[in-house]
Amino acid sequence: MRHRILDAAIPRDRADWKALWERWPTREVFAHPDYVRLFARPCDRVVCAAGEDAGGGILFPLVLRPLAAEAWAAPGERRLDAISPYGYGGPFAFGEGPRDDTAFWRAHEAYCRDAGIVSTFVRLPLFDAQLPWLPFAPEGRGPNVVRLLGGDLGAIWMEYDRQVRANVKAAERNGVTIEVDRTGARLDAFVEVYEHTMSRRGANGWYFFPRAFFDDLVRSLAGQYVFFHALHEGRVVSTELVLVSRAHAYMLLSGTRAEAYPLRPNDLLRHRTIVWCKEQGLGAYVLGGGYEPGDGVWRHKRNFAPKEQLPFRVACLLHDEAGARELEARRAAAEPGWTAKDGFFPRYRS
């Protein structure tokens, strides 16, 4: 198994990364270099730990974050930590023959030690068939709703919760229509409705993406996204951004104007998204989870696939336990009153 670190900032590495991604039949957008780049700061490095042998390949995209960028870091700090991109970031495996996954992980751990990577937070793929062998035990972080698309549309419709079906019909009676936007033609409206929704919900600041995030996504990932807009009297009242891979689609971000709720646009929007995904020949539409396990957002999504859930799994990898403890102590000394939060990884970043 050949293990390489491909840096998206180096043209030849990026070309090799893209070529390996294009060899992969399902081509999940989360492993595309331009998707990973969306979640990196200017000081970060966007890389892919790539494995190749006669049996297939492994793509493990990562954002490497220099600890020197933190206000509490010691002078001359040279270490880093790593995180997989938002969503279901990897590692992804493919190939028809037996791969030497053990060799990949052995080489990757050696790379982390040599590069001074203290920890890695991994957001794992949802689908088991995409996972390589893992030398660590994943942790479940709540259920994700997955609308499988193998049945006919009539059967899918009847699996919706009864209230969903009623709301779809009500939205149509109220004059709501759905527009499929594959170019970001209504990006201004999407951003306005999305930010309105995040403000109304009191969302964590992380969810307020700069406009450049959306401009970059539209420019660099053509064919890998679709916007779905619910319109009423020519105005966008509900909207969602969906990522599209060869076999799956994923709801990424969405929003609805508060005053539009009586029109019932949300259920019609989700239904028409599912219809579109089915027509494209996709195998599943991932609606995702909620902000908290079992919250109202998750219950709304579950109404579209009451029987179909997969766990969102992560892995918290410590490559340098002593280093992590040192960093935690360093931050506590530099920031009086700061204490690490239980359950947050890595603790020194909580």
Side-chain angles (χ1 to χ4, degrees):
M1 170 69 72
R2 182 188 185 195
H3 178 277
R4 292 186 292 164
I5 299 298
L6 302 175
D7 191 321
I10 299 173
R12 182 170 180 176
D13 280 6
R14 187 189 183 283
D16 287 350
W17 180 350
K18 187 76 178 301
L20 184 58
W21 181 81
E22 289 176 346
R23 276 183 47 201
W24 177 24
T26 52
R27 298 182 192 175
E28 294 285 14
V29 66
F30 303 107
H32 191 292
D34 290 332
Y35 178 82
V36 184
R37 186 175 55 83
L38 293 173
F39 299 93
R41 302 168 299 177
C43 63
D44 295 335
R45 287 178 62 203
V46 172
V47 305
C48 182
E52 295 177 83
D53 66 11
I58 294 174
L59 289 165
F60 190 12
L62 294 166
V63 176
L64 302 184
R65 305 178 295 184
L67 289 161
E70 306 308 316
W72 44 266
E77 176 64 74
R78 299 176 62 87
R79 291 169 294 182
L80 311 99
D81 59 16
I83 190 167
S84 59
Y86 180 69
Y88 313 97
F92 297 97
F94 62 93
E96 298 299 324
R99 295 180 314 270
D100 192 351
D101 294 356
T102 302
F104 172 85
W105 289 111
R106 185 167 56 245
H108 187 71
E109 188 60 34
Y111 160 74
C112 290
R113 290 195 303 269
D114 293 344
I117 297 173
V118 177
S119 67
T120 303
F121 181 71
V122 186
R123 300 177 175 98
L124 291 164
L126 275 183
F127 301 99
D128 286 344
Q130 295 181 333
L131 281 171
W133 173 79
L134 301 174
F136 47 79
E139 303 174 23
R141 294 286 179 91
N144 274 227
V145 176
V146 179
R147 176 66 263 175
L148 298 179
L149 301 172
D152 62 59
L153 283 172
I156 290 172
W157 170 261
M158 293 308 299
E159 287 180 1
Y160 295 165
D161 182 85
R162 179 183 301 177
Q163 190 60 51
V164 168
R165 299 195 298 270
N167 286 342
V168 168
K169 295 174 182 177
E172 292 174 333
R173 289 195 302 271
N174 290 329
V176 177
T177 59
I178 304 301
E179 179 179 274
V180 179
D181 173 7
R182 305 199 69 167
T183 66
R186 292 186 185 265
L187 184 58
D188 289 343
F190 171 86
V191 171
E192 180 185 351
V193 174
Y194 173 74
E195 291 184 347
H196 161 83
T197 304
M198 294 301 101
S199 296
R200 188 180 74 246
R201 291 176 176 168
N204 183 297
W206 187 90
Y207 289 97
F208 288 86
F209 299 97
R211 175 57 187 252
F213 172 92
F214 298 105
D215 291 336
D216 287 349
L217 186 152
V218 166
R219 182 182 63 254
S220 61
L221 289 170
Q224 303 296 141
Y225 67 84
V226 183
F227 293 92
F228 294 87
H229 308 297
L231 307 178
H232 185 257
E233 297 179 349
R235 183 177 184 230
V236 175
V237 295
S238 186
T239 183
E240 65 185 32
L241 169 58
V242 175
L243 300 176
V244 182
S245 301
R246 283 294 184 89
H248 310 121
Y250 301 83
M251 183 196 298
L252 183 66
L253 303 170
S254 64
T256 302
R257 296 185 184 276
E259 65 272 20
Y261 277 114
L263 300 172
R264 300 292 188 264
N266 286 352
D267 289 355
L268 178 61
L269 185 68
R270 303 277 138 71
H271 169 62
R272 292 292 180 81
T273 302
I274 289 167
V275 170
W276 183 89
C277 290
K278 173 69 175 174
E279 291 173 346
Q280 303 306 304
L282 301 177
Y285 173 49
V286 178
L287 288 90
Y291 294 102
E292 300 289 342
D295 66 9
V297 173
W298 176 80
R299 292 195 301 272
H300 165 76
K301 294 175 179 179
R302 184 187 59 179
N303 288 339
F304 292 87
K307 301 176 183 178
E308 297 158 7
Q309 297 174 47
L310 291 173
F312 176 54
R313 297 168 296 186
V314 303
C316 302
L317 309 181
L318 272 180
H319 311 292
D320 180 358
E321 294 187 29
R325 290 194 297 270
E326 174 202 328
L327 290 167
E328 186 176 338
R330 166 56 110 177
R331 185 170 182 187
E335 298 182 3
W338 175 85
T339 56
K341 297 177 183 177
D342 290 338
F344 193 97
F345 183 87
R347 286 172 57 86
Y348 55 80
R349 283 194 180 270
S350 62

